Amino acid sequence: MGVPSSKKIANGKRHDSTKSFKPTKKPFKKTKDDLAARSEAALQLEDVPDFPRGGGSSLSRKEREKIYEEVDAEFDADERVSKKSKGGKSKKKKIPNDADDLGLLFGGLTGKRPRYANKITTKNISPGMKLLGVVTEVNQKDIVISLPGGLRGLVRASEASDFTDLGIEDDENELLGDIFSVGQLVPCIVLQLDDDTKEAGKRKIWLSLRLSLLHKGFSFDSFQLGMVFSANVKSVEDHGYILHFGLPSITGFIEICDDGNQKSRMKTGQLIQGVVTKIDRERKIIRLNSDPDSVAKCLTKDLNGMSFDLLIPGMMINARVQSVLENGILFDFLTYFNGTVDLFHLKNPLSNKSWKDEYSQNKTVNARILFIDPSSRAVGLTLNPHLVCNKAPPLHVSSGGIFDEAKVVRIDKSGLLLELPSKPASTPAYVSTYDAAGDEVKKLEKKYKEGNHIRVRILGLKQMEGLAIGTLKESAFEGPVFSHSDVKPGMVTKAKVISVDSFGAIVQFPGGLKAMCPLRHMSEFEVTKPRKKFKVGAELVFRVLGCKSKRITVTYKKTLVKSKLPILGSYTDATEGLVTHGWITKIEKHGCFVRFYNGVQGFVPRFELGLEPGSDPDSVFHVGEVVKCRVTSAAHGSRRITLSLMIKPASVSEDDSIKLGSIVSGIIDSITSQAVIVRVKSKGVLKGTISAEHLADHHEQAKLMKSLLRPGYELDKLLVLGMFINIVANSSCIYPSHI
């Protein structure tokens, strides 16, 4: 092996490694602000004795002091470079508060006590992190899971289980909805993070529920009596259920509890939890008990050789108070580990300013593991009484709700903790400093007092914390649209244009919700240059077309916005004779498709378009055109609506009434492969159908006659066969006058 070169390559150039930097001419003077910033930069660690257990360091005291000196020197150098690049002007660094995203997570093996409890945010969540979540939506192709910190994750159907491909099911077989339920607590693992291109600062979190990933590193020896494990139902047998742990050669079994309740029976693919009751080491079979009460009360024992990889979100452990932090508690548990609980996961969700007095040192409590970060070895715990009982915290409020008598429970540096008078139980809510007083941070304690009652509006919900997020700003109480639940099809509202693209425009309601105005709905006519039609920042009046999966669409078509006719927003609203506005979405030879609000659609047959004989619908109508139409029939069960563009229905006087067996005349309107459609001459406008077999006495003559007929030809002496206006026209009773 050759001697390594004394020169290194960096940025495409060779530099001599022995070249030293010139010292600064003036010594760097440390200020109080610099010292405060330095203490904050090193993950906000305080110089306190090392952990007596679990986090002990192998370094000697002198080695640790040397490392601290190197860190300080490196920090000072960074400060000098930063100040030099800014012209030497000192800028006061912002002191973090509890609402700030504190970045890196604190791990339990650093040997130092943190100042702040760990909190999961969009900035520090990373692939491989394991979290406890609650199912909030079960869709056809994915599952929506609410995570700690108010985050939201998605699970694809293929990631819901190891052994069943849930992504190939048809629309009628909603397999995900059969094996998962809203409100179910599930352990999950982060697969990847996607930056949302539509909204800056937002990241899409993709999760997996596959036990082969969650139980990675487990072996048969990891199973101990009394431990709680998650498993998938692999198959249903006569006497019980075969379980899958995501591990090769290890099988689980639960006996069927025959209580006569078919709904309590498990289904293949279902994710369940159970307590280990028996271990068959020869056949490698684990027997579980899935009784909810037994699972909720089971504590993870302090076993010898317990490793960090064996910790799973949802485990209940006995934790001991190590110290009180600025925004939570530091605990140690299972001898070797420690974790933190933040303010929103305390035992009492409505704790006042004296919450620290409730957690004396060495006090023991039951807690559940909320999240685990293998990279930093950080562990988050929860003392929430509902989560400790293995249930999702209930929320008795909804986004957009207004409470006039919310009680101020606690005032923090980062905001206000409120008690909402919801029913059947009170709900905690938190208002950040920004949503409480804007930039007037220092006046927060002067403006609000504990015990006062104030008016608040709900911005959103944190399902895992059982916490509502509110605002006190006056602008939040203005306007009819503030949350997706406020959006109703057909409602008219103002919105500001925030962006314009080739597909349409994105607009924002006064309450903050965003909606899309498709290109075809930006005007009554075709828009070729959308940026000239809509100007960013303009406030316009729109009408809501619909809201599906929290995606709002609006229209700017003047006819729709100013329409005074009833709104057709569901198939049940379609009654015979209803006159309303819609817009054409598709034109065919036999008629037009018309769309209404909330995705409702109807069909206008050709003879109801009011066209002149021989006219082509494409030459009269265009896609996107707003039309006034009348409902002629509606089948709610099959979701079919038949329409007419002739608003006044045809009326025939008694003298001209058509009866069975009467002779009429008419003009050919159109010719199909099976029949000839004629417009019957009368005081009203009626349509008739001549089937191919009734054009002549013989089949060959009827075929020849049909080839000669054209729209606009007049037919005399047509015999009425039925009140469906089926008309016979064989040679013994009709004589075409234009052939």
Side-chain angles (χ1 to χ4, degrees), residues 498-558:
I498 59 175
S499 67
V500 182
D501 210 325
S502 59
F503 56 81
I506 304 298
V507 299
Q508 187 173 32
F509 300 141
L513 290 182
K514 295 178 182 178
M516 187 182 75
C517 181
L519 185 64
R520 284 183 175 172
H521 280 275
M522 293 177 68
S523 174
E524 297 278 5
F525 308 99
E526 184 178 357
V527 178
T528 56
K529 297 181 179 180
R531 289 183 175 85
K532 287 189 176 181
K533 178 66 178 177
F534 280 9
K535 300 295 183 182
V536 175
E539 290 190 358
L540 307 173
V541 178
F542 298 87
R543 188 185 282 272
V544 176
L545 296 177
C547 180
K548 185 178 181 181
S549 300
K550 296 186 177 180
R551 294 180 180 178
I552 307 170
T553 53
V554 296
T555 181
Y556 189 62
K557 291 180 181 289
K558 295 299 183 183

Side-chain angles (χ1 to χ4, degrees), residues 658-669 674-682 686-696 705 709 715-731 733-735:
I658 298 176
K659 299 180 181 179
L660 290 176
S662 60
I663 303 297
V664 297
S665 62
I667 300 173
I668 297 178
D669 184 73
Q674 312 227 339
V676 177
I677 310 300
V678 298
R679 190 188 299 268
V680 180
K681 286 185 176 182
S682 64
L686 296 177
K687 297 285 184 178
T689 303
I690 306 174
S691 57
E693 62 267 20
H694 285 293
L695 286 172
M705 187 174 184
L709 294 176
L715 302 176
D716 294 331
K717 295 183 181 181
L718 303 174
L719 177 64
V720 178
L721 295 180
M723 293 314 295
F724 292 102
I725 318 298
N726 287 327
I727 300 174
V728 66
N730 58 39
S731 59
C733 60
I734 72 160
Y735 301 93

Side-chain angles (χ1 to χ4, degrees), residues 237-273:
E237 307 298 335
D238 293 337
H239 301 289
Y241 306 96
I242 304 298
L243 304 179
H244 174 75
F245 296 104
L247 303 172
S249 305
I250 302 177
T251 305
F253 184 77
I254 291 181
E255 291 185 2
I256 290 180
C257 181
D258 193 5
D259 55 359
N261 186 4
Q262 294 295 329
K263 292 184 179 181
S264 64
R265 297 292 180 94
M266 299 180 188
K267 299 180 180 180
T268 303
Q270 186 173 341
L271 181 65
I272 59 101
Q273 284 185 310

Side-chain angles (χ1 to χ4, degrees), residues 110-343:
T110 62
K112 293 296 176 181
R113 179 170 68 88
R115 289 177 57 192
Y116 294 93
N118 288 322
K119 294 195 298 184
I120 296 297
T121 68
T122 54
K123 293 183 179 180
N124 59 29
I125 193 169
S126 59
M129 188 178 289
K130 300 178 182 179
L131 308 101
L132 184 65
V134 58
V135 177
T136 55
E137 291 181 34
V138 182
N139 303 313
Q140 180 68 29
K141 297 181 180 179
D142 56 36
I143 304 171
V144 181
I145 296 183
S146 180
L147 302 173
L151 302 183
R152 179 176 176 267
L154 297 172
V155 179
R156 295 184 180 93
S158 58
E159 292 293 334
S161 177
D162 278 305
F163 57 90
T164 304
D165 186 3
L166 303 180
I168 62 174
E169 297 297 326
D170 55 37
D171 293 340
E172 296 180 358
N173 187 8
E174 297 181 359
L175 187 55
L176 285 179
D178 292 337
I179 60 178
F180 292 97
S181 58
V182 174
Q184 178 182 358
L185 288 174
V186 292
C188 50
I189 185 169
V190 179
L191 287 181
Q192 66 183 54
L193 303 169
D194 295 340
D195 290 332
D196 194 339
T197 56
K198 295 181 181 179
E199 296 186 39
K202 290 194 175 183
R203 310 183 75 184
K204 187 174 288 187
I205 304 170
W206 293 103
L207 307 171
S208 177
L209 302 180
R210 292 170 53 195
L211 297 181
S212 58
L213 298 178
L214 286 164
H215 291 164
K216 188 177 181 180
F218 279 59
S219 64
F220 188 79
D221 295 333
S222 303
F223 291 85
Q224 304 290 336
L225 292 175
M227 292 184 69
V228 175
F229 276 89
S230 296
N232 288 119
V233 178
K234 188 173 183 179
S235 63
V236 181
E237 307 298 335
D238 293 337
H239 301 289
Y241 306 96
I242 304 298
L243 304 179
H244 174 75
F245 296 104
L247 303 172
S249 305
I250 302 177
T251 305
F253 184 77
I254 291 181
E255 291 185 2
I256 290 180
C257 181
D258 193 5
D259 55 359
N261 186 4
Q262 294 295 329
K263 292 184 179 181
S264 64
R265 297 292 180 94
M266 299 180 188
K267 299 180 180 180
T268 303
Q270 186 173 341
L271 181 65
I272 59 101
Q273 284 185 310
V275 182
V276 178
T277 58
K278 187 178 179 180
I279 301 176
D280 188 340
R281 299 193 177 276
E282 293 183 1
R283 295 186 294 173
K284 290 190 175 182
I285 296 177
I286 311 295
R287 285 182 174 266
L288 300 181
N289 175 18
S290 62
D291 176 60
D293 292 335
S294 301
V295 172
K297 296 177 182 178
C298 183
L299 271 170
T300 302
K301 297 179 181 179
D302 192 354
L303 302 173
N304 292 329
M306 187 78 169
S307 67
F308 189 86
D309 296 334
L310 299 185
L311 298 180
I312 295 292
M315 280 185 172
M316 188 164 76
I317 45 92
N318 188 264
R320 182 175 64 91
V321 176
Q322 182 83 12
S323 60
V324 178
L325 310 178
E326 292 191 25
N327 69 329
I329 313 293
L330 175 66
F331 290 92
D332 58 32
F333 62 95
L334 297 180
T335 304
Y336 305 105
F337 313 109
N338 59 68
T340 60
V341 173
D342 68 55
L343 272 174

Side-chain angles (χ1 to χ4, degrees), residues 470-490:
T471 179
L472 307 180
K473 291 184 176 180
E474 291 296 330
S475 58
F477 300 94
E478 301 173 357
V481 179
F482 190 79
S483 66
H484 289 90
S485 59
D486 298 330
V487 178
K488 306 298 179 186

